[in-house]
Amino acid sequence: MSRGGGMSRGGGMPDDAQRMPMDRRLQERINQTIRQRLALSDEQFDKMREVASRIEDDRRTLRSEEMTTRFAMRQALLAGEKANEKRVSDLLEQMARIDRRRLDLQEREQRDLAKFLTAVQRARYIGMQEQLRREMQELQRRRLDRDSADSGRMRPGPRRLQRPPGTP
């Protein structure tokens, strides 16, 4: 991380001091777009943000557990034919439980939103969430691709010996 609010990682990524205002401005634009496209009243918008905040905390926890479980599964499978069957079975069951919890979370979110949003507003909101998720995943993928390309330029690979002209 760089000092003084500069860029880090070779100039590509802003540090935390820059990221916070950028994140805040992005969230404000997202909120404004949601409010306009769903034609929300102030009361509806406040309630929606409360539900979204509560649900997002649970989603974050679920994503963390899923990442941990998937990592553990990859580690367990690295043993190849000697993989621990019981461990792999337990991890598969854990992944299924995580999927069920994700569905339960979606259902809870819909029940909570149904208390103050119409079905059309909820459907539009789901569509907006999905679009935003896809866009964020694409940005993340491009950033990883760019970082990989940048690190590739910074670390030259093995040099090929050039043969003198006329030699096979």
Side-chain angles (χ1 to χ4, degrees):
M1 197 177 314
S2 67
R3 296 192 187 278
M7 300 294 257
S8 61
R9 280 199 228 170
M13 295 293 299
D15 62 18
D16 289 341
Q18 285 184 318
R19 187 184 323 260
M20 288 175 58
M22 287 171 35
D23 288 350
R24 198 173 311 116
R25 285 192 306 269
L26 176 63
Q27 188 60 54
E28 287 170 7
R29 282 200 316 258
I30 291 169
N31 288 344
Q32 182 181 20
T33 301
I34 289 170
R35 185 178 229 156
Q36 288 173 347
R37 288 190 185 167
L38 301 183
L40 299 177
S41 69
D42 290 343
E43 182 182 352
Q44 284 177 308
F45 182 71
D46 291 342
K47 288 179 179 179
M48 190 199 67
R49 284 184 59 191
E50 180 184 312
V51 168
S53 176
R54 192 173 55 245
I55 295 293
E56 187 53 37
D57 288 344
D58 292 342
R59 270 197 191 107
R60 194 174 296 116
T61 300
L62 216 51
R63 276 193 303 269
S64 175
E65 290 177 24
E66 182 178 28
M67 286 174 40
T68 301
T69 303
R70 287 183 184 280
F71 179 78
M73 179 68 79
R74 280 191 297 273
Q75 294 301 111
L77 293 176
L78 284 176
E81 295 298 317
K82 295 180 182 179
N84 182 328
E85 286 286 330
K86 172 79 169 105
R87 175 77 174 138
V88 171
S89 177
D90 290 347
L91 290 167
L92 286 169
E93 288 175 15
Q94 190 171 345
M95 290 170 69
R97 283 192 301 272
I98 289 170
D99 287 341
R100 278 192 297 278
R101 286 175 46 208
R102 183 177 292 111
L103 286 173
D104 291 345
L105 190 59
Q106 289 173 339
E107 288 177 354
R108 189 176 86 212
E109 179 181 33
Q110 285 304 302
R111 279 193 309 272
D112 290 351
L113 292 173
K115 294 174 185 173
F116 56 89
L117 295 180
T118 67
V120 170
Q121 286 173 318
R122 291 193 330 263
R124 286 183 180 153
Y125 181 58
I126 290 170
M128 292 171 73
Q129 285 178 314
E130 288 300 316
Q131 180 182 357
L132 182 60
R133 255 185 225 110
R134 281 192 305 271
E135 289 171 2
M136 297 300 283
Q137 287 170 345
E138 178 62 21
L139 282 172
Q140 190 174 35
R141 185 193 62 75
R142 279 191 258 151
R143 184 178 299 140
L144 287 172
D145 289 349
R146 185 184 65 230
D147 288 350
S148 294
D150 288 348
S151 66
R153 277 182 260 154
M154 295 170 68
R155 277 186 271 136
R159 292 183 174 217
R160 288 183 159 191
L161 295 175
Q162 290 190 342
R163 297 178 186 202
T167 58

